[in-house]
């Protein structure tokens, strides 16, 4: 039976499986896991507000949380439009990263020659800092395309690396079994390798989701200094020039929330797809 | 009760050798005839090449020398052979239900459309009909192995190859599966080649025990176990059984000494 301990480590079970709810202790543990971070957040916000008021810190140095929130509401039309722009780039980059990463990994898996020829360049693309590549892409490509290309470069590699690992981690006996029954290459890929790689692919997706957002923001910042952007990162840069610090914080808050939502959405997808069979998603009775 | 020898062998290995790329000689001039309907065990210590022999018969590996000949009826037109293979581990796909795992050989052969009744029949034969929709991780070790046997049986092969299938199970489960396997064999009239390192298991199950020497793998001797079937717990505790076990143990001890000689 193939297990993936490294994967189990990488994906802590943030969503719990069935069979645990009717015990008092795990339920309390679960409550604590949700309530404690919220309590810390609330405490932080209160301390922040008190410090700002007590020392009478001007809003262009550090705005109070209340002001950040009211700015968020007041500037919602501008900020929400920017949020949509950034999220669109993120989503497009993510989809392209998943499609490209998985397709490339499958191609590498099917042909060793292609893998040997191209894999080093995938690594080079990954290890070269994206901030350094972005200005170059902005010269060669249209701005929107350049931003998308940046986000894609950052996000596709974890999908490629994880999928490659997953496709190569198939139980050897199962490979023999498929050979014994005369399975075609296509059947081996579809019925055996891709399902076996699924936990790894989903692990890659979780990383790629966050990185798509990071890539989009980095590219927008680079593009923003060149002029005509309108995403959230551009708003942050623009607010910085205008010393509109509350709006900067509001935009930052939106980016954070977007990142958290992406992470939890992908964790949920991963959990739903693996809960029936994979060790990482199965809660054990102790 | 199946009897042997009758007619020509299902599969005949003559002077088969297998040397791995590392230079390790796994098998050296192995000759073995497998007769229709018989239950034969390959017994030997680990590293004696018994699993290699099984893989050669299955076509999962090619012999370095010698030849493997099949009875005419077994050689399919497309070169594929009607055989089932049970690995040491259950080797089930963890993402698929028990029924989907058992269906796999039919699906790969493009016969998925007519698979349902055959899958149901195979599951019933091993007593897993209630667990068709369970996932492998929800089953015990013994039940996983039953699912694996059901999968091997679903194509209705004439030859069943089993590679230490019960080695990882506890003794109680192993005894039960031994009994169930014998019942299946008597009912289905299949030919079984069973690899094991357990003297007691080989005597209990087989009509014929082939004892192999380690490094390189060679046949040392073979013993007929003439006790009648059906065999059950009475046989397991009988003086006959103990006598056969002693004979086979002595043969195995001889094989070990023969294998250590240069």
């Amino acid at each position: 039976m193939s297990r993936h301990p490294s994967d189990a480590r990488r994906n802590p079970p943030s969503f719990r499986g069935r069979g645990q709810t009717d015990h008092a202790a795990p339920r309390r543990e679960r409550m604590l896991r949700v309530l404690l971070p919220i309590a810390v957040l609330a405490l932080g916000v209160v301390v922040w507000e008190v410090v700002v008021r007590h020392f009478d810190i001007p809003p262009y140095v550090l705005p109070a949380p209340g002001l950040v929130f009211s700015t968020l509401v007041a500037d919602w039309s501008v900020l929400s439009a920017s949020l949509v722009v950034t999220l669109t780039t993120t989503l497009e980059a993510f989809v392209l990263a998943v499609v490209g990463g998985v397709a490339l990994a499958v191609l590498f898996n099917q042909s060793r020659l292609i893998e040997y020829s191209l894999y080093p360049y995938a690594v080079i693309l990954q290890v070269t800092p994206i901030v350094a590549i972005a200005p170059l892409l902005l010269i060669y490509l249209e701005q929107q395309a350049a931003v998308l290309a940046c986000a894609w470069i950052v996000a596709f590699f974890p999908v490629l690396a994880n999928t490659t690992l997953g496709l190569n981690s198939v139980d050897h006996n199962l490979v023999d079994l498929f050979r014994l029954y005369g399975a075609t290459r296509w059947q081996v890929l579809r019925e055996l390798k891709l399902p076996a790689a699924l936990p790894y692919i989903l692990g890659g997706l979780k990383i790629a989701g966050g990185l798509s957002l990071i890539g989009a923001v980095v590219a927008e910042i680079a593009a923003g200094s060149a002029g005509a952007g309108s995403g959230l990162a551009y708003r942050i840069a623009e607010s910085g020039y205008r010393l509109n610090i509350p709006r900067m914080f509001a935009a930052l808050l939106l980016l954070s929330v977007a990142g958290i939502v992406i992470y939890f959405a992908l964790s949920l997808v991963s959990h739903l797809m693996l809960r029936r069979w994979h060790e990482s998603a199965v809660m054990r009775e102790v | 009760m199946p009897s042997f020898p009758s007619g020509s062998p299902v599969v005949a290995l003559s002077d088969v050798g297998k040397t791995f790329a590392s230079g390790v000689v796994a098998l050296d001039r192995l000759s073995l005839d497998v007769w229709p309907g018989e239950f034969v065990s390959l017994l030997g210590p680990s590293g004696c090449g018994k699993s290699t022999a099984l893989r050669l018969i299955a076509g999962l590996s090619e012999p370095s020398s010698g030849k493997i000949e099949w009875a005419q009826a077994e050689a399919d037109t497309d070169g594929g052979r009607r055989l089932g293979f049970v690995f040491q581990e259950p080797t089930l796909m963890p993402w698929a239900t028990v029924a989907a795992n058992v269906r796999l050989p039919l699906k790969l052969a493009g016969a998925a459309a007519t698979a349902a009744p055959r899958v149901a029949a195979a599951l019933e034969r091993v007593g897993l009909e209630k667990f068709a929709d369970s996932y492998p991780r929800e089953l015990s070790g013994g039940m996983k192995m039953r699912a694996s046997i059901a999968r091997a049986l679903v194509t209705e092969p004439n030859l069943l190859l089993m590679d230490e299938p019960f080695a990882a199970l506890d003794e109680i489960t192993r005894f039960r599966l031994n009994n169930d396997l014998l019942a299946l064999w008597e009912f289905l009239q299949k030919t079984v080649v069973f690899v094991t390192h357990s003297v007691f298991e080989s005597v209990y199950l087989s009509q014929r025990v082939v004892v192999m020497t380690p490094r390189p793998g060679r046949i040392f001797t073979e013993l007929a176990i003439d006790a009648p079937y059906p065999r059950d717990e009475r046989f397991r505790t009988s003086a006959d059984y103990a006598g056969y076990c002693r004979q086979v143990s002595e043969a195995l001890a001889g094989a070990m000494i023969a294998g250590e000689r240069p």
Side-chain angles (χ1 to χ4, degrees), chain A residues 1 18 173-174 176-181 183 187 191-192 195-196 276-277 282, chain B residues 55 58 60 83 85 87 89 91 94-95 104-105 107-108 135 137-138 151:
Chain A
M1 197 70 17
R18 60 222 156 93
N173 283 337
L174 275 173
D176 280 346
L177 186 83
F178 273 67
R179 271 182 58 204
L180 194 73
Y181 289 114
Q187 284 176 322
E191 307 287 337
L192 177 60
R276 285 305 296 271
W277 65 275
V282 170
Chain B
R55 291 176 60 85
L60 289 171
L83 51 83
F85 200 105
F87 295 87
E89 281 98 40
T91 313
W95 56 84
L104 180 74
K107 192 174 180 183
L108 291 177
Y135 282 79
R137 55 163 292 277
E138 296 162 343
R151 180 181 58 197

mmCIF file of all heavy atoms in Angstrom, chain A residues 1 18 173-174 176-181 183 187 191-192 195-196 276-277 282, chain B residues 55 58 60 83 85 87 89 91 94-95 104-105 107-108 135 137-138 151:
data_model
loop_
_atom_site.group_PDB
_atom_site.id
_atom_site.type_symbol
_atom_site.label_atom_id
_atom_site.label_comp_id
_atom_site.label_asym_id
_atom_site.label_seq_id
_atom_site.Cartn_x
_atom_site.Cartn_y
_atom_site.Cartn_z
ATOM 1 N N MET A 1 0.843 -1.202 0.000
ATOM 2 C CA MET A 1 0.000 0.000 0.000
ATOM 3 C C MET A 1 0.873 1.244 0.000
ATOM 4 O O MET A 1 1.779 1.352 0.790
ATOM 5 C CB MET A 1 -0.834 -0.037 1.283
ATOM 6 C CG MET A 1 -2.007 0.856 1.287
ATOM 7 S SD MET A 1 -3.371 0.414 0.186
ATOM 8 C CE MET A 1 -3.082 -1.269 -0.228
ATOM 9 N N ARG A 18 -14.335 12.438 9.384
ATOM 10 C CA ARG A 18 -15.493 12.073 10.179
ATOM 11 C C ARG A 18 -15.092 11.230 11.370
ATOM 12 O O ARG A 18 -13.967 10.827 11.514
ATOM 13 C CB ARG A 18 -16.490 11.329 9.305
ATOM 14 C CG ARG A 18 -15.925 10.089 8.710
ATOM 15 C CD ARG A 18 -16.365 9.961 7.254
ATOM 16 N NE ARG A 18 -15.404 9.129 6.572
ATOM 17 C CZ ARG A 18 -15.540 7.816 6.436
ATOM 18 N NH1 ARG A 18 -16.586 7.210 6.892
ATOM 19 N NH2 ARG A 18 -14.624 7.121 5.820
ATOM 20 N N ASN A 173 4.423 -2.674 -7.470
ATOM 21 C CA ASN A 173 3.585 -3.845 -7.692
ATOM 22 C C ASN A 173 2.371 -3.502 -8.549
ATOM 23 O O ASN A 173 1.941 -4.297 -9.386
ATOM 24 C CB ASN A 173 3.122 -4.436 -6.356
ATOM 25 C CG ASN A 173 4.226 -5.231 -5.680
ATOM 26 O OD1 ASN A 173 5.154 -5.704 -6.326
ATOM 27 N ND2 ASN A 173 4.136 -5.345 -4.369
ATOM 28 N N LEU A 174 1.815 -2.300 -8.327
ATOM 29 C CA LEU A 174 0.671 -1.894 -9.147
ATOM 30 C C LEU A 174 1.093 -1.716 -10.602
ATOM 31 O O LEU A 174 0.345 -2.059 -11.514
ATOM 32 C CB LEU A 174 0.056 -0.597 -8.601
ATOM 33 C CG LEU A 174 -0.958 -0.765 -7.471
ATOM 34 C CD1 LEU A 174 -1.376 0.579 -6.904
ATOM 35 C CD2 LEU A 174 -2.187 -1.531 -7.945
ATOM 36 N N ASP A 176 3.434 -3.420 -12.055
ATOM 37 C CA ASP A 176 3.521 -4.806 -12.549
ATOM 38 C C ASP A 176 2.137 -5.357 -12.870
ATOM 39 O O ASP A 176 1.946 -6.027 -13.886
ATOM 40 C CB ASP A 176 4.177 -5.703 -11.492
ATOM 41 C CG ASP A 176 5.692 -5.558 -11.497
ATOM 42 O OD1 ASP A 176 6.224 -4.983 -12.467
ATOM 43 O OD2 ASP A 176 6.331 -6.015 -10.546
ATOM 44 N N LEU A 177 1.195 -5.078 -11.977
ATOM 45 C CA LEU A 177 -0.168 -5.577 -12.178
ATOM 46 C C LEU A 177 -0.746 -5.043 -13.499
ATOM 47 O O LEU A 177 -1.347 -5.796 -14.273
ATOM 48 C CB LEU A 177 -1.051 -5.125 -11.015
ATOM 49 C CG LEU A 177 -2.458 -5.692 -11.027
ATOM 50 C CD1 LEU A 177 -2.457 -7.074 -10.415
ATOM 51 C CD2 LEU A 177 -3.421 -4.788 -10.291
ATOM 52 N N PHE A 178 -0.539 -3.752 -13.763
ATOM 53 C CA PHE A 178 -1.041 -3.162 -15.000
ATOM 54 C C PHE A 178 -0.352 -3.806 -16.214
ATOM 55 O O PHE A 178 -0.983 -4.048 -17.231
ATOM 56 C CB PHE A 178 -0.837 -1.636 -14.991
ATOM 57 C CG PHE A 178 -1.974 -0.890 -14.344
ATOM 58 C CD1 PHE A 178 -2.219 -1.015 -12.986
ATOM 59 C CD2 PHE A 178 -2.806 -0.077 -15.091
ATOM 60 C CE1 PHE A 178 -3.277 -0.344 -12.391
ATOM 61 C CE2 PHE A 178 -3.863 0.606 -14.507
ATOM 62 C CZ PHE A 178 -4.094 0.475 -13.162
ATOM 63 N N ARG A 179 0.946 -4.079 -16.086
ATOM 64 C CA ARG A 179 1.666 -4.732 -17.189
ATOM 65 C C ARG A 179 1.112 -6.126 -17.425
ATOM 66 O O ARG A 179 0.925 -6.565 -18.562
ATOM 67 C CB ARG A 179 3.153 -4.842 -16.842
ATOM 68 C CG ARG A 179 3.965 -3.643 -17.262
ATOM 69 C CD ARG A 179 5.429 -3.839 -16.934
ATOM 70 N NE ARG A 179 5.990 -5.009 -17.556
ATOM 71 C CZ ARG A 179 7.072 -5.651 -17.084
ATOM 72 N NH1 ARG A 179 7.673 -5.226 -15.994
ATOM 73 N NH2 ARG A 179 7.541 -6.702 -17.707
ATOM 74 N N LEU A 180 0.858 -6.816 -16.313
ATOM 75 C CA LEU A 180 0.358 -8.187 -16.394
ATOM 76 C C LEU A 180 -0.938 -8.257 -17.194
ATOM 77 O O LEU A 180 -1.166 -9.192 -17.950
ATOM 78 C CB LEU A 180 0.107 -8.686 -14.967
ATOM 79 C CG LEU A 180 -0.097 -10.168 -14.767
ATOM 80 C CD1 LEU A 180 1.215 -10.887 -14.929
ATOM 81 C CD2 LEU A 180 -0.653 -10.419 -13.373
ATOM 82 N N TYR A 181 -1.791 -7.242 -17.016
ATOM 83 C CA TYR A 181 -3.063 -7.248 -17.715
ATOM 84 C C TYR A 181 -2.997 -6.471 -19.029
ATOM 85 O O TYR A 181 -4.024 -6.091 -19.584
ATOM 86 C CB TYR A 181 -4.166 -6.702 -16.803
ATOM 87 C CG TYR A 181 -4.508 -7.670 -15.696
ATOM 88 C CD1 TYR A 181 -4.250 -7.368 -14.371
ATOM 89 C CD2 TYR A 181 -5.067 -8.913 -15.988
ATOM 90 C CE1 TYR A 181 -4.539 -8.271 -13.359
ATOM 91 C CE2 TYR A 181 -5.357 -9.819 -14.988
ATOM 92 C CZ TYR A 181 -5.097 -9.496 -13.683
ATOM 93 O OH TYR A 181 -5.388 -10.394 -12.695
ATOM 94 N N ALA A 183 -1.992 -3.426 -19.908
ATOM 95 C CA ALA A 183 -2.479 -2.051 -19.975
ATOM 96 C C ALA A 183 -1.657 -1.244 -20.979
ATOM 97 O O ALA A 183 -0.450 -1.423 -21.090
ATOM 98 C CB ALA A 183 -2.401 -1.395 -18.597
ATOM 99 N N GLN A 187 -3.622 3.921 -20.525
ATOM 100 C CA GLN A 187 -4.340 3.370 -19.376
ATOM 101 C C GLN A 187 -3.512 3.488 -18.091
ATOM 102 O O GLN A 187 -4.036 3.809 -17.037
ATOM 103 C CB GLN A 187 -4.692 1.898 -19.624
ATOM 104 C CG GLN A 187 -5.861 1.710 -20.576
ATOM 105 C CD GLN A 187 -6.125 0.246 -20.883
ATOM 106 O OE1 GLN A 187 -5.196 -0.544 -21.031
ATOM 107 N NE2 GLN A 187 -7.380 -0.130 -20.977
ATOM 108 N N GLU A 191 -5.332 5.563 -15.377
ATOM 109 C CA GLU A 191 -5.907 4.758 -14.307
ATOM 110 C C GLU A 191 -4.974 4.603 -13.114
ATOM 111 O O GLU A 191 -5.413 4.272 -12.022
ATOM 112 C CB GLU A 191 -6.264 3.356 -14.831
ATOM 113 C CG GLU A 191 -7.140 3.327 -16.058
ATOM 114 C CD GLU A 191 -8.569 3.709 -15.735
ATOM 115 O OE1 GLU A 191 -8.964 3.570 -14.573
ATOM 116 O OE2 GLU A 191 -9.274 4.171 -16.651
ATOM 117 N N LEU A 192 -3.673 4.771 -13.338
ATOM 118 C CA LEU A 192 -2.731 4.487 -12.257
ATOM 119 C C LEU A 192 -1.921 5.715 -11.845
ATOM 120 O O LEU A 192 -1.971 6.141 -10.694
ATOM 121 C CB LEU A 192 -1.797 3.349 -12.682
ATOM 122 C CG LEU A 192 -0.708 2.974 -11.675
ATOM 123 C CD1 LEU A 192 -1.314 2.522 -10.368
ATOM 124 C CD2 LEU A 192 0.194 1.888 -12.250
ATOM 125 N N PRO A 195 -4.075 9.141 -10.727
ATOM 126 C CA PRO A 195 -4.703 9.029 -9.399
ATOM 127 C C PRO A 195 -3.671 8.902 -8.276
ATOM 128 O O PRO A 195 -3.848 9.478 -7.214
ATOM 129 C CB PRO A 195 -5.543 7.748 -9.501
ATOM 130 C CG PRO A 195 -5.721 7.499 -10.940
ATOM 131 C CD PRO A 195 -4.543 8.086 -11.641
ATOM 132 N N ALA A 196 -2.587 8.158 -8.527
ATOM 133 C CA ALA A 196 -1.563 7.997 -7.494
ATOM 134 C C ALA A 196 -0.880 9.324 -7.206
ATOM 135 O O ALA A 196 -0.450 9.577 -6.078
ATOM 136 C CB ALA A 196 -0.536 6.951 -7.921
ATOM 137 N N ARG A 276 -11.704 10.048 1.345
ATOM 138 C CA ARG A 276 -12.089 8.650 1.427
ATOM 139 C C ARG A 276 -10.893 7.711 1.475
ATOM 140 O O ARG A 276 -11.002 6.575 1.925
ATOM 141 C CB ARG A 276 -12.961 8.252 0.229
ATOM 142 C CG ARG A 276 -14.378 8.747 0.282
ATOM 143 C CD ARG A 276 -15.140 8.353 1.532
ATOM 144 N NE ARG A 276 -15.356 6.923 1.722
ATOM 145 C CZ ARG A 276 -16.395 6.261 1.262
ATOM 146 N NH1 ARG A 276 -17.316 6.864 0.563
ATOM 147 N NH2 ARG A 276 -16.515 4.967 1.506
ATOM 148 N N TRP A 277 -9.739 8.158 0.939
ATOM 149 C CA TRP A 277 -8.681 7.157 0.806
ATOM 150 C C TRP A 277 -7.287 7.575 1.230
ATOM 151 O O TRP A 277 -6.463 6.724 1.533
ATOM 152 C CB TRP A 277 -8.616 6.650 -0.637
ATOM 153 C CG TRP A 277 -8.216 7.671 -1.654
ATOM 154 C CD1 TRP A 277 -9.029 8.567 -2.276
ATOM 155 C CD2 TRP A 277 -6.912 7.905 -2.172
ATOM 156 N NE1 TRP A 277 -8.310 9.335 -3.139
ATOM 157 C CE2 TRP A 277 -7.008 8.957 -3.111
ATOM 158 C CE3 TRP A 277 -5.652 7.318 -1.951
ATOM 159 C CZ2 TRP A 277 -5.902 9.433 -3.820
ATOM 160 C CZ3 TRP A 277 -4.575 7.799 -2.661
ATOM 161 C CH2 TRP A 277 -4.712 8.847 -3.580
ATOM 162 N N VAL A 282 -7.291 11.589 6.356
ATOM 163 C CA VAL A 282 -8.083 10.702 7.187
ATOM 164 C C VAL A 282 -7.711 10.896 8.651
ATOM 165 O O VAL A 282 -6.545 10.832 9.007
ATOM 166 C CB VAL A 282 -7.842 9.230 6.780
ATOM 167 C CG1 VAL A 282 -8.462 8.302 7.794
ATOM 168 C CG2 VAL A 282 -8.402 8.980 5.400
ATOM 169 N N ARG B 55 7.729 -14.516 -11.351
ATOM 170 C CA ARG B 55 7.659 -13.352 -12.248
ATOM 171 C C ARG B 55 7.972 -13.751 -13.693
ATOM 172 O O ARG B 55 7.405 -13.186 -14.633
ATOM 173 C CB ARG B 55 8.607 -12.251 -11.778
ATOM 174 C CG ARG B 55 8.182 -11.585 -10.468
ATOM 175 C CD ARG B 55 9.219 -10.572 -9.995
ATOM 176 N NE ARG B 55 9.407 -9.508 -10.978
ATOM 177 C CZ ARG B 55 8.640 -8.432 -11.053
ATOM 178 N NH1 ARG B 55 7.647 -8.271 -10.203
ATOM 179 N NH2 ARG B 55 8.864 -7.517 -11.972
ATOM 180 N N ALA B 58 4.933 -15.304 -15.071
ATOM 181 C CA ALA B 58 3.914 -14.286 -15.317
ATOM 182 C C ALA B 58 4.244 -13.418 -16.527
ATOM 183 O O ALA B 58 3.397 -12.668 -16.996
ATOM 184 C CB ALA B 58 3.746 -13.404 -14.078
ATOM 185 N N LEU B 60 6.464 -11.034 -16.361
ATOM 186 C CA LEU B 60 6.856 -9.711 -15.868
ATOM 187 C C LEU B 60 8.352 -9.497 -16.028
ATOM 188 O O LEU B 60 8.860 -8.407 -15.807
ATOM 189 C CB LEU B 60 6.466 -9.562 -14.389
ATOM 190 C CG LEU B 60 4.974 -9.435 -14.126
ATOM 191 C CD1 LEU B 60 4.677 -9.507 -12.635
ATOM 192 C CD2 LEU B 60 4.452 -8.126 -14.703
ATOM 193 N N LEU B 83 -3.739 -15.656 -16.852
ATOM 194 C CA LEU B 83 -3.269 -15.985 -15.520
ATOM 195 C C LEU B 83 -3.599 -14.882 -14.534
ATOM 196 O O LEU B 83 -3.797 -13.729 -14.898
ATOM 197 C CB LEU B 83 -1.767 -16.295 -15.516
ATOM 198 C CG LEU B 83 -0.777 -15.340 -16.163
ATOM 199 C CD1 LEU B 83 -0.422 -14.228 -15.203
ATOM 200 C CD2 LEU B 83 0.470 -16.114 -16.539
ATOM 201 N N PHE B 85 -2.399 -13.116 -10.762
ATOM 202 C CA PHE B 85 -1.198 -12.973 -9.942
ATOM 203 C C PHE B 85 -1.601 -12.323 -8.632
ATOM 204 O O PHE B 85 -2.267 -11.298 -8.620
ATOM 205 C CB PHE B 85 -0.179 -12.105 -10.678
ATOM 206 C CG PHE B 85 1.238 -12.255 -10.183
ATOM 207 C CD1 PHE B 85 2.178 -12.966 -10.909
ATOM 208 C CD2 PHE B 85 1.627 -11.673 -8.975
ATOM 209 C CE1 PHE B 85 3.487 -13.109 -10.453
ATOM 210 C CE2 PHE B 85 2.929 -11.819 -8.519
ATOM 211 C CZ PHE B 85 3.864 -12.535 -9.261
ATOM 212 N N PHE B 87 0.107 -10.703 -5.314
ATOM 213 C CA PHE B 87 1.385 -10.242 -4.788
ATOM 214 C C PHE B 87 1.468 -10.453 -3.278
ATOM 215 O O PHE B 87 0.473 -10.739 -2.620
ATOM 216 C CB PHE B 87 1.568 -8.750 -5.085
ATOM 217 C CG PHE B 87 1.667 -8.434 -6.547
ATOM 218 C CD1 PHE B 87 0.527 -8.215 -7.301
ATOM 219 C CD2 PHE B 87 2.895 -8.354 -7.167
ATOM 220 C CE1 PHE B 87 0.615 -7.914 -8.651
ATOM 221 C CE2 PHE B 87 2.993 -8.058 -8.520
ATOM 222 C CZ PHE B 87 1.848 -7.840 -9.257
ATOM 223 N N GLU B 89 2.002 -8.108 -1.094
ATOM 224 C CA GLU B 89 1.101 -7.107 -0.519
ATOM 225 C C GLU B 89 -0.212 -7.152 -1.301
ATOM 226 O O GLU B 89 -0.227 -7.600 -2.443
ATOM 227 C CB GLU B 89 1.703 -5.705 -0.650
ATOM 228 C CG GLU B 89 2.768 -5.391 0.380
ATOM 229 C CD GLU B 89 4.168 -5.604 -0.172
ATOM 230 O OE1 GLU B 89 4.386 -5.257 -1.335
ATOM 231 O OE2 GLU B 89 5.012 -6.142 0.560
ATOM 232 N N THR B 91 -1.679 -4.879 -2.823
ATOM 233 C CA THR B 91 -1.511 -4.134 -4.075
ATOM 234 C C THR B 91 -2.850 -3.680 -4.653
ATOM 235 O O THR B 91 -3.179 -3.937 -5.797
ATOM 236 C CB THR B 91 -0.747 -4.983 -5.113
ATOM 237 O OG1 THR B 91 0.389 -5.546 -4.471
ATOM 238 C CG2 THR B 91 -0.256 -4.153 -6.277
ATOM 239 N N PRO B 94 -5.511 2.517 -3.668
ATOM 240 C CA PRO B 94 -6.172 3.064 -2.480
ATOM 241 C C PRO B 94 -7.288 4.043 -2.817
ATOM 242 O O PRO B 94 -8.177 4.267 -1.999
ATOM 243 C CB PRO B 94 -5.043 3.772 -1.723
ATOM 244 C CG PRO B 94 -3.967 4.000 -2.727
ATOM 245 C CD PRO B 94 -4.099 2.905 -3.746
ATOM 246 N N TRP B 95 -7.254 4.600 -4.037
ATOM 247 C CA TRP B 95 -8.262 5.607 -4.401
ATOM 248 C C TRP B 95 -9.520 4.975 -4.971
ATOM 249 O O TRP B 95 -10.476 5.676 -5.275
ATOM 250 C CB TRP B 95 -7.676 6.586 -5.416
ATOM 251 C CG TRP B 95 -7.154 5.904 -6.648
ATOM 252 C CD1 TRP B 95 -7.865 5.536 -7.741
ATOM 253 C CD2 TRP B 95 -5.807 5.502 -6.887
ATOM 254 N NE1 TRP B 95 -7.054 4.915 -8.640
ATOM 255 C CE2 TRP B 95 -5.774 4.888 -8.146
ATOM 256 C CE3 TRP B 95 -4.627 5.594 -6.141
ATOM 257 C CZ2 TRP B 95 -4.607 4.356 -8.689
ATOM 258 C CZ3 TRP B 95 -3.472 5.082 -6.691
ATOM 259 C CH2 TRP B 95 -3.455 4.475 -7.942
ATOM 260 N N LEU B 104 -10.725 -3.899 -12.221
ATOM 261 C CA LEU B 104 -9.605 -3.376 -13.014
ATOM 262 C C LEU B 104 -9.160 -4.270 -14.185
ATOM 263 O O LEU B 104 -9.051 -3.781 -15.313
ATOM 264 C CB LEU B 104 -8.416 -3.069 -12.093
ATOM 265 C CG LEU B 104 -7.194 -2.529 -12.819
ATOM 266 C CD1 LEU B 104 -7.407 -1.088 -13.248
ATOM 267 C CD2 LEU B 104 -5.943 -2.634 -11.957
ATOM 268 N N PRO B 105 -8.896 -5.571 -13.960
ATOM 269 C CA PRO B 105 -8.423 -6.384 -15.093
ATOM 270 C C PRO B 105 -9.395 -6.400 -16.257
ATOM 271 O O PRO B 105 -8.976 -6.370 -17.419
ATOM 272 C CB PRO B 105 -8.303 -7.789 -14.484
ATOM 273 C CG PRO B 105 -8.161 -7.573 -13.027
ATOM 274 C CD PRO B 105 -8.957 -6.348 -12.710
ATOM 275 N N LYS B 107 -11.585 -3.976 -16.942
ATOM 276 C CA LYS B 107 -11.568 -2.627 -17.506
ATOM 277 C C LYS B 107 -10.377 -2.469 -18.447
ATOM 278 O O LYS B 107 -10.516 -1.933 -19.551
ATOM 279 C CB LYS B 107 -11.478 -1.625 -16.364
ATOM 280 C CG LYS B 107 -11.738 -0.197 -16.773
ATOM 281 C CD LYS B 107 -11.773 0.671 -15.532
ATOM 282 C CE LYS B 107 -12.033 2.118 -15.878
ATOM 283 N NZ LYS B 107 -12.004 2.977 -14.683
ATOM 284 N N LEU B 108 -9.216 -2.958 -18.019
ATOM 285 C CA LEU B 108 -8.021 -2.820 -18.844
ATOM 286 C C LEU B 108 -8.154 -3.625 -20.134
ATOM 287 O O LEU B 108 -7.569 -3.292 -21.151
ATOM 288 C CB LEU B 108 -6.777 -3.267 -18.073
ATOM 289 C CG LEU B 108 -6.368 -2.369 -16.909
ATOM 290 C CD1 LEU B 108 -5.167 -2.943 -16.178
ATOM 291 C CD2 LEU B 108 -6.068 -0.961 -17.379
ATOM 292 N N TYR B 135 -13.502 1.296 0.766
ATOM 293 C CA TYR B 135 -12.171 1.607 0.252
ATOM 294 C C TYR B 135 -11.163 0.699 0.956
ATOM 295 O O TYR B 135 -11.392 0.280 2.104
ATOM 296 C CB TYR B 135 -11.839 3.077 0.492
ATOM 297 C CG TYR B 135 -12.514 3.974 -0.508
ATOM 298 C CD1 TYR B 135 -13.856 4.309 -0.369
ATOM 299 C CD2 TYR B 135 -11.828 4.439 -1.614
ATOM 300 C CE1 TYR B 135 -14.495 5.103 -1.311
ATOM 301 C CE2 TYR B 135 -12.457 5.238 -2.561
ATOM 302 C CZ TYR B 135 -13.788 5.564 -2.403
ATOM 303 O OH TYR B 135 -14.411 6.341 -3.340
ATOM 304 N N ARG B 137 -8.515 1.072 2.579
ATOM 305 C CA ARG B 137 -8.044 1.419 3.913
ATOM 306 C C ARG B 137 -9.063 1.093 5.002
ATOM 307 O O ARG B 137 -8.726 1.058 6.183
ATOM 308 C CB ARG B 137 -7.643 2.888 4.015
ATOM 309 C CG ARG B 137 -8.698 3.876 3.617
ATOM 310 C CD ARG B 137 -8.361 5.246 4.138
ATOM 311 N NE ARG B 137 -8.467 5.278 5.580
ATOM 312 C CZ ARG B 137 -9.610 5.448 6.246
ATOM 313 N NH1 ARG B 137 -10.731 5.627 5.590
ATOM 314 N NH2 ARG B 137 -9.627 5.453 7.558
ATOM 315 N N GLU B 138 -10.295 0.856 4.595
ATOM 316 C CA GLU B 138 -11.324 0.513 5.576
ATOM 317 C C GLU B 138 -11.358 -0.986 5.870
ATOM 318 O O GLU B 138 -12.137 -1.440 6.695
ATOM 319 C CB GLU B 138 -12.698 0.984 5.061
ATOM 320 C CG GLU B 138 -12.786 2.491 4.934
ATOM 321 C CD GLU B 138 -13.926 2.993 4.057
ATOM 322 O OE1 GLU B 138 -14.489 2.206 3.273
ATOM 323 O OE2 GLU B 138 -14.244 4.181 4.157
ATOM 324 N N ARG B 151 -9.634 -10.129 -7.304
ATOM 325 C CA ARG B 151 -9.177 -9.463 -8.529
ATOM 326 C C ARG B 151 -8.447 -10.455 -9.444
ATOM 327 O O ARG B 151 -8.605 -10.433 -10.659
ATOM 328 C CB ARG B 151 -8.265 -8.292 -8.186
ATOM 329 C CG ARG B 151 -7.759 -7.557 -9.415
ATOM 330 C CD ARG B 151 -6.836 -6.418 -9.040
ATOM 331 N NE ARG B 151 -5.713 -6.905 -8.268
ATOM 332 C CZ ARG B 151 -4.920 -6.126 -7.528
ATOM 333 N NH1 ARG B 151 -5.138 -4.845 -7.467
ATOM 334 N NH2 ARG B 151 -3.921 -6.654 -6.857
#
